[in-house]
Amino acid sequence: MVAHSLKGLFLLFLTVLSGCSSFTRFMIVNRTNASLMVSYGPPVGFFDLNGEKFENCFEDDIGSAYFPEVIESSRIEAHYSEWRKLTSDEYSCDFESRTISFELRSGQAVQIATVFDHLEFREFDSEEFGIRTLELEGIKGNVAFEAEQIPEAFDKKNIFGTISYLEYD
């Protein structure tokens, strides 16, 4: 009986401990009735390999944590498997400025970063967040953020703090 109780307490402890780790997904939502041009700079290291530029700009080069994925904005909290990675003809990379650019259609959301968070409900600083620049160009005007401003531009949208997004409207 005591062994059974200890086993239950141990399992409860493991469950609580595993709940302290999560990933926070950072997204941009286009709420306008026109397309939005998005340009962002993932960590510099994602464009360099041993000091040399990559030959192309594919997910393996950028890193899946910073590769853009889209979904209809009404499905923003959908499971990861429902998000669609942009195809190589839907985005471009500028190796000089080390940025990724693409068009976000009206009513779409794009995930631009997934950041590991070992302590839930905390704020990220710009170094942990990794995105160096973020520019949005659309019908409602242009908005540009530098590294230290970017994490603050996103609002946590669910109780667990695992989804944060910036709405362009």
Side-chain angles (χ1 to χ4, degrees), residues 41 56 81 99 123 128 165:
N56 51 41
S81 64
T99 57
E123 301 300 320
E128 289 175 301
Y165 56 87

Side-chain angles (χ1 to χ4, degrees), residues 47-59:
F47 281 94
D48 290 326
L49 180 62
N50 298 325
E52 298 178 18
K53 291 182 181 178
F54 287 117
E55 294 296 318
N56 51 41
C57 182
F58 298 117
E59 179 182 3

Side-chain angles (χ1 to χ4, degrees), residues 112-132:
I112 62 168
T114 303
V115 181
F116 179 70
D117 181 11
H118 58 2
L119 300 170
E120 291 185 27
F121 304 113
R122 71 184 177 92
E123 301 300 320
F124 293 96
D125 64 28
S126 59
E127 188 173 314
E128 289 175 301
F129 186 63
I131 302 289
R132 299 172 295 105

Side-chain angles (χ1 to χ4, degrees), residues 44-99:
V44 172
F46 286 98
F47 281 94
D48 290 326
L49 180 62
N50 298 325
E52 298 178 18
K53 291 182 181 178
F54 287 117
E55 294 296 318
N56 51 41
C57 182
F58 298 117
E59 179 182 3
D60 291 343
D61 297 341
I62 300 165
S64 60
Y66 295 97
F67 193 81
E69 297 182 42
V70 295
I71 198 166
E72 294 304 313
S73 60
S74 62
R75 306 272 307 134
I76 202 165
E77 294 198 38
H79 188 270
Y80 294 110
S81 64
E82 295 183 41
W83 287 72
R84 181 183 66 78
K85 295 179 190 293
L86 294 182
T87 62
S88 60
D89 62 334
E90 292 179 299
Y91 67 93
S92 63
C93 289
D94 181 333
F95 288 102
E96 193 67 33
S97 65
R98 292 188 160 110
T99 57

